[in-house]
Amino acid sequence: MTRKISLTDHEETLRQLLLDVSKYIETEGGCIRPQLRFTGGWVRDKLLGIESKDIDIGIDSMTGYEFGTLMKQYLDDPARRAQYGEVAVGKLAQIVANPEKSKHLETVTTKVLGLDIDLVNLRKETYDEGSRNPTMEFGTPEEDALRRDSTVNALFYNLETSEVEDLTERGLEDMELKMIRTPLSPHQTFKDDPLRILRCIRFASKLGYIIEQEAEKSMSDECIKHALRAKISRERVGIEIEKMLKGPQPKYALSLIDRLGLYNTVFTDPGQERTLVVDTTHWAKAYNELCAVEGAETGDCLSPPALQTIKHFLISNTHETYLSWLLCALTPWAKVENPEKQKKGAKKNPPMLAVIAREGLKTENKALNVIKDAAIYYNEIIASKDALFEVASSVMVPMKRKQETLSREALGMAIRRWGGNWRSATLLAMLVEIMGTEESVGMRLPLLLVELIFDTTSGRQQIEEQYAGWLAHVKSLDLMNAYTFKPVVDGAQLMQAFDRPSGKWIVSALNIVMEWQLRNPGKTAIKEAIGEVKMRWKELGLD
């Protein structure tokens, strides 16, 4: 692998600016001239031909805040600033170290030439067996490289020499091997900072690398897992999981968490008095299924038509893709009851799926609402889907009742109750059912090939076809956006028509109006809608 890096124009300008600031500090400030390096992920990505606007800058003789302050001072001179074109340094944002939660690095972030840069001094960490907090002090480049999570993230680019420095002596080789390896003993590396476990998994999934065998063994160690649960803030766990799920290979990341026995360490509620352990025996079926759905391409003869339909209706953009993987990650918790005792008169306890997302991952509120709705309504969606296919096969349920359940009116009102997150709830419903199939987890064959070999439809494929059919049914009734439909009359018009004050009856009356609209698509006559309410007046419980 090449040791040469080609800089963009902005990167070269930044390099020259930083070197000039370094000289300025020596000549004007009477300090030792700082030696500067681009560090970590930027170096790795440049060697892989991946452009990055995030650059960490390692400084050998002063803190990042001191260097950033002097850089702003240097650029206060208009003549100096003019040498670099339209350059401006943003506000210096100082991130203070918090060793109690393994946030050991004090960094300063700012923006220069459109590049996001972090300024931080090179350091070494010393851990005392009696304390989980490291002693931080200035370190050499070698010491800084050895304290990092993996060899491929420990490469430096020396600004003075324009050369890549591999101070662990394994980084470039491991990039060739496509391997994640810790610079020091993996057990000690993960014990010192357990978040490195999740970082290693994230980079393995991002780069498509394998994890070195000894590192995998240490990740599965019960003492290390306990340290990850106890020592790392759930916010930081959530950040790493979010990056994995938004990365290029979320399935690979989840499969590593699964295989290494980390699920109940990562996806947990640390506030529970008694730690709940969820069964993940069949979880692989869920993440393999979602991977198959995400990979389905419209018009591709190798992509089963059912998966094409499901993807078309349920996953239409990158945000929905992320939400789908987040739900998939939490699917093992879907059927677990919340053990917290229900308080009299209080709101119903949230589903465990939402509790794990909120407490275990500190998921932001918008995504949390999606998870909560999906957990509450997925069973209703399973029932609705089942009713459709029982109608088709004339099994068990009386035909009239099934037809009523699947009428445009009933299905439309159900989707309105499920709300704007009903499609995410549908995906969760399918994944829960897929996890319940008796099939072994293995390679998915194209549908046509499976039919040729086995002349049968597997449980998984039957579920896929049913959900595709149910979604097509919803679409055929023009109900995909039923939750946004507006009644043709409003509360004020109803109060005027019936000469009654506002009250709970208004909600019931508006539901009657909406049911009438769903039975009669295209009708908008206010008089007819009010007439429907008059016909069903007794249902409102009024005189």
Side-chain angles (χ1 to χ4, degrees):
M1 175 166 292
T2 180
R3 298 174 67 97
K4 293 294 182 183
I5 286 179
S6 297
L7 302 182
T8 65
D9 290 344
H10 278 178
E11 289 167 347
E12 179 56 41
T13 302
L14 175 62
R15 171 182 169 273
Q16 193 56 57
L17 167 62
L18 293 170
L19 289 174
D20 291 344
V21 172
S22 181
K23 292 176 186 176
Y24 167 78
I25 290 171
E26 180 183 35
T27 56
E28 301 293 329
C31 301
I32 298 174
R33 180 177 176 179
Q35 298 298 309
L36 306 173
R37 292 169 172 83
F38 291 163
T39 67
W42 179 90
V43 183
R44 178 203 66 228
D45 286 348
K46 291 291 283 190
L47 289 170
L48 291 171
I50 302 170
E51 293 301 325
S52 174
K53 290 186 175 294
D54 296 319
I55 305 179
D56 293 345
I57 300 165
I59 308 160
D60 73 339
S61 59
M62 62 174 53
T63 68
Y65 189 77
E66 290 170 333
F67 185 90
T69 301
L70 290 167
M71 180 168 63
K72 287 181 73 76
Q73 180 179 305
Y74 172 80
L75 289 171
D76 281 343
D77 185 331
R80 293 196 192 107
R81 190 165 60 248
Q83 299 176 52
Y84 312 100
E86 292 296 322
V87 62
V89 179
K91 184 179 179 181
L92 298 181
Q94 189 170 13
I95 302 173
V96 180
N98 179 13
E100 281 293 327
K101 293 296 182 181
S102 284
K103 180 64 178 176
H104 305 142
L105 301 181
E106 178 174 290
T107 64
V108 169
T109 63
T110 189
K111 188 181 270 302
V112 181
L113 294 163
L115 300 169
D116 295 310
I117 66 171
D118 283 10
L119 301 165
V120 61
N121 61 279
L122 301 178
R123 79 269 325 282
K124 66 177 179 180
E125 299 170 353
T126 304
Y127 290 83
D128 188 329
E129 283 295 327
S131 171
R132 64 187 186 184
N133 302 329
T135 300
M136 307 295 297
E137 55 187 291
F138 281 91
T140 65
E142 291 81 2
E143 289 168 332
D144 191 89
L146 291 173
R147 69 167 183 81
R148 294 178 178 259
D149 51 44
S150 62
T151 58
V152 299
N153 287 340
L155 299 167
F156 296 158
Y157 175 79
N158 189 309
L159 269 61
E160 194 72 49
T161 64
S162 297
E163 290 184 351
V164 174
E165 297 173 336
D166 183 5
L167 302 177
T168 69
E169 299 183 351
R170 297 299 298 268
L172 293 170
E173 178 186 353
D174 286 340
M175 288 187 70
E176 292 279 5
L177 294 172
K178 299 184 183 300
M179 178 178 288
I180 298 295
R181 185 198 313 269
T182 57
L184 299 175
S185 154
H187 186 85
Q188 193 63 47
T189 297
F190 299 141
K191 183 180 177 183
D192 288 345
D193 185 355
L195 189 69
R196 290 167 177 160
I197 296 171
L198 298 183
R199 285 178 56 82
C200 285
I201 291 173
R202 172 161 66 88
F203 286 115
S205 66
K206 175 181 178 179
L207 302 171
Y209 285 11
I210 61 172
I211 298 176
E212 187 261 338
Q213 190 174 0
E214 282 301 310
E216 282 199 353
K217 184 178 177 182
S218 293
M219 287 177 175
S220 301
D221 183 273
E222 289 301 322
C223 291
I224 297 298
K225 289 195 284 187
H226 174 76
L228 175 58
R229 181 193 293 269
K231 191 174 181 180
I232 306 301
S233 74
R234 300 317 293 187
E235 288 85 356
R236 299 192 73 204
V237 170
I239 288 169
E240 289 298 322
I241 294 298
E242 180 176 345
K243 288 179 178 179
M244 290 180 204
L245 300 183
K246 288 182 175 179
Q249 299 189 73
K251 174 196 164 183
Y252 183 29
L254 296 183
S255 70
L256 286 171
I257 289 172
D258 191 12
R259 181 165 59 80
L260 297 172
L262 291 166
Y263 188 89
N264 283 292
T265 301
V266 175
F267 299 100
T268 186
D269 176 10
Q272 289 281 349
E273 290 183 11
R274 181 176 60 86
T275 301
L276 293 177
V277 176
V278 70
D279 181 15
T280 58
T281 305
H282 301 291
W283 182 38
K285 295 176 186 176
Y287 56 71
N288 284 334
E289 178 67 18
L290 182 54
C291 186
V293 171
E294 189 183 359
E297 296 296 336
T298 303
D300 182 356
C301 64
L302 295 180
S303 294
L307 294 189
Q308 295 180 40
T309 299
I310 291 165
K311 180 181 180 182
H312 173 72
F313 286 125
L314 301 187
I315 307 176
S316 60
N317 55 53
T318 54
H319 183 61
E320 288 181 353
T321 299
Y322 162 65
L323 290 175
S324 298
W325 280 108
L326 181 56
L327 280 168
C328 182
L330 297 164
T331 298
W333 286 102
K335 293 186 175 182
V336 179
E337 293 291 329
N338 190 328
E340 186 177 340
K341 189 175 181 180
Q342 183 70 44
K343 295 179 181 178
K344 189 175 181 180
K347 289 183 179 179
K348 187 176 180 180
N349 289 336
M352 281 305 297
L353 216 74
V355 172
I356 299 302
R358 184 188 66 205
E359 302 300 331
L361 303 178
K362 299 299 180 183
T363 302
E364 54 91 16
N365 286 336
K366 285 186 179 180
L368 194 60
N369 287 335
V370 174
I371 292 165
K372 186 176 179 180
D373 286 349
I376 290 171
Y377 295 120
Y378 82 88
N379 275 316
E380 291 187 27
I381 289 170
I382 291 175
S384 178
K385 181 268 299 179
D386 285 348
L388 175 63
F389 288 94
E390 286 174 355
V391 166
S393 58
S394 300
V395 175
M396 294 176 60
V397 181
M399 180 64 75
K400 182 179 179 182
R401 183 151 58 88
K402 287 185 287 189
Q403 289 175 334
E404 289 173 352
T405 302
L406 292 166
S407 68
R408 188 172 191 273
E409 172 190 339
L411 191 51
M413 293 303 288
I415 290 174
R416 290 177 65 79
R417 182 173 65 256
W418 301 336
N421 297 323
W422 75 269
R423 292 183 304 129
S424 292
T426 302
L427 181 73
L428 177 63
M430 186 182 74
L431 295 179
V432 169
E433 287 208 86
I434 292 289
M435 279 182 60
T437 60
E438 294 300 320
E439 295 178 52
S440 61
V441 177
M443 181 181 296
R444 163 182 281 278
L445 296 173
L447 180 59
L448 291 176
L449 184 57
V450 170
E451 290 176 344
L452 286 172
I453 296 174
F454 300 107
D455 191 27
T456 185
T457 301
S458 71
R460 180 188 64 224
Q461 289 164 343
Q462 186 178 46
I463 290 169
E464 292 166 354
E465 290 167 5
Q466 287 178 353
Y467 276 95
W470 183 78
L471 287 164
H473 177 65
V474 174
K475 176 66 175 177
S476 71
L477 297 176
D478 193 24
L479 292 175
M480 297 299 290
N481 297 311
Y483 60 93
T484 66
F485 294 175
K486 303 293 183 185
V488 296
V489 298
D490 59 25
Q493 290 170 310
L494 288 170
M495 287 187 287
Q496 183 179 4
F498 293 99
D499 192 25
R500 283 183 173 272
S502 180
K504 292 181 179 180
W505 72 276
I506 291 289
V507 175
S508 299
L510 289 173
N511 281 336
I512 290 173
V513 170
M514 181 53 63
E515 289 168 357
W516 172 81
Q517 288 177 226
L518 289 166
R519 286 196 307 275
N520 301 279
K523 285 194 174 183
T524 58
I526 294 175
K527 186 175 181 180
E528 289 185 54
I530 292 175
E532 177 73 12
V533 177
K534 288 180 179 178
M535 287 177 56
R536 298 172 60 182
W537 184 252
K538 290 183 178 180
E539 294 179 29
L540 302 179
L542 299 173
D543 298 330

